[in-house]
Every structure is written in structure tokens, then in C-alpha cells.
Amino acid sequence: GESVGLHLPTLSVQEGDNSIINCAYSNSASDYFIWYKQESGKGPQFIIDIRSNMDKRQGQRVTVLLNKTVKHLSLQIAATQPGDSAVYFCAENSGNTGKLIFGQGTTLQVKP
Amino acid sequence: DSGVTQTPKHLITATGQRVTLRCSPRSGDLSVYWYQQSLDQGLQFLIQYYNGEERAKGNILERFSAQQFPDLHSELNLSSLELGDSALYFCASSDVAGHTEAFFGQGTRLTVV
């Protein structure tokens, strides 16, 4: 069935370092991808998205890379800050609905 | 603040009971989504409504139902509740039907005892 999975359940980084969170997706028909951040006790918060006609998209301190050949997605966070500590989810979408298939999530811990 | 409002924030109820969760989408958004988040299943898509009509359905149990009203708010009804229904239920909204970011509410934490 459909699935989106994350390689690392927990990532611990030093403040100021760059973070890379990886995600594998299984549906080759997926053409839209999103990264969400979820802090404890809150709903998922949109970070950045990318469509399948692109392989890279940059935002403020974040970059998403898409490799459709191996069905892999990554989120890079530059100069990681304590406020970046959260669970990060990748999600994929296909078709003409907004249905998102979420990965299991990666916990990012930032050490001061 | 995402602009999506969910009520109540917490709900404790007994097995076999029925509850209704309410969601007000962001102003101007026509699409509403419901997701369930549990520890062992992660974030699972339940159902989507667009401008009052059902648009997509996930693995939503027959005991669960939803609707979107003319003012675009939505309700998720959960009946014959079981212990395993305990979870966070999130509502999200977006301006169009798909291929766009959805903005999530703070969720309703349902505990079935």
C-alpha cells in the first residue's frame, strides 16, 4: 500500500550546525510534497513544499531536495537553532485532492 | 496561529459514547481535512470536504462520519467509541482542493476510558 517512511527516527545536532532530515516515499505517482514541523502540543506547521517538476526549493534557512529517481526527499535546515527542536514530517500528495500521506516523523533535538 | 480553530481542545468520554468535534477553517478556505494522530499510526488522513462536498476519503471507520456546512465549518462525528479511538484529531484547511499546503488547527485530544 501507500507509505512514506523516514530513515532516522531521532536526529541530534549541535546548535549552529546544519541538519538533514531524510524521507523515502513509495508512490511514484506523487507529484507534490510537503514538510511539516510539529512542536509538542501543537498542530503540524507548514515549512516548505515542492512539486515534482522541481528538484530543489529554498526557503528561509530551509532547503528541500527531491530525487524522483530514488523516490527520496530531504529537508536541510541551516544553522539549526533550539527553536527548531520538534518532530518533522514529510508528506506526499497525488491526484486532484488534498489528501496527504504522512511519514512517521523524525524528532530533531538541538543541543545548546 | 494557523487560523484554523478546533473545539474542544480536550475530550474525555466513555466507551460506547458518541462525540462531535468541530472545526472552523481559515477565512476563505474551501477545503477542510480531518486527520487522526495516534502513537502507533502517526498522522492518518480520514476525510476531505471541498465547498460542502466530500472530496476524498481515507481509512475512515464506518463509525466515524463528517460533514461540511454551508458556512464551511466542519464536524467530525465519532460514535460507538472504543479505547483505540483515543488520539489527537486534527482539522486542516486549504484554499483549493489539492496540491497546496494545508494549515492545521491545534487539535482535539480525545481520551476514551
Side-chain angles (χ1 to χ4, degrees), chain B residues 5-83:
Chain B
T5 303
Q6 289 187 248
T7 56
K9 288 188 169 49
H10 302 276
L11 199 50
I12 301 175
T13 190
T15 55
Q17 294 300 303
R18 171 190 168 96
V19 297
T20 297
L21 312 184
R22 183 188 168 98
C23 170
S24 293
R26 289 189 320 157
S27 178
D29 282 358
L30 298 178
S31 242
V32 169
Y33 313 82
W34 287 97
Y35 287 84
Q36 180 191 58
Q37 186 175 35
S38 58
L39 286 176
D40 59 345
Q41 292 291 322
L43 271 159
Q44 300 286 319
F45 170 78
L46 295 177
I47 198 163
Q48 175 194 6
Y49 279 83
Y50 179 74
N51 203 20
E53 299 291 326
E54 184 182 301
R55 186 68 177 230
K57 212 166 185 177
N59 295 325
I60 186 168
L61 299 172
E62 286 191 9
R63 301 183 285 110
F64 295 2
S65 65
Q67 55 184 324
Q68 185 178 29
F69 295 87
D71 67 353
L72 301 177
H73 91 272
S74 178
E75 292 180 356
L76 178 67
N77 300 296
L78 314 176
S79 61
S80 302
L81 285 167
E82 302 174 0
L83 296 177

Side-chain angles (χ1 to χ4, degrees), chain A residues 7-49:
Chain A
H7 297 310
L8 299 174
T10 303
L11 177 64
S12 186
V13 300
Q14 204 70 39
E15 180 179 356
D17 287 353
N18 296 334
S19 303
I20 299 175
I21 302 173
N22 295 302
C23 173
Y25 65 95
S26 60
N27 186 358
S28 56
S30 292
D31 54 5
Y32 178 65
F33 305 87
I34 303 180
W35 281 99
Y36 281 94
K37 169 187 180 183
Q38 187 175 24
E39 296 173 286
S40 181
K42 296 185 178 181
Q45 177 187 356
F46 170 82
I47 301 174
I48 192 167
D49 59 0

Side-chain angles (χ1 to χ4, degrees), chain A residues 11 17-23 33-36 46-51 54-67 72-80 84 88-90 108:
Chain A
L11 177 64
D17 287 353
N18 296 334
S19 303
I20 299 175
I21 302 173
N22 295 302
C23 173
F33 305 87
I34 303 180
W35 281 99
Y36 281 94
F46 170 82
I47 301 174
I48 192 167
D49 59 0
I50 188 168
R51 299 183 188 278
M54 304 172 68
D55 53 19
K56 180 179 180 179
R57 190 157 190 234
Q58 289 184 291
Q60 187 176 11
R61 281 201 307 119
V62 294
T63 301
V64 56
L65 300 178
L66 175 62
N67 185 331
H72 184 268
L73 196 65
S74 69
L75 176 70
Q76 301 177 357
I77 304 174
T80 312
D84 295 326
Y88 289 80
F89 294 95
C90 65
L108 176 64

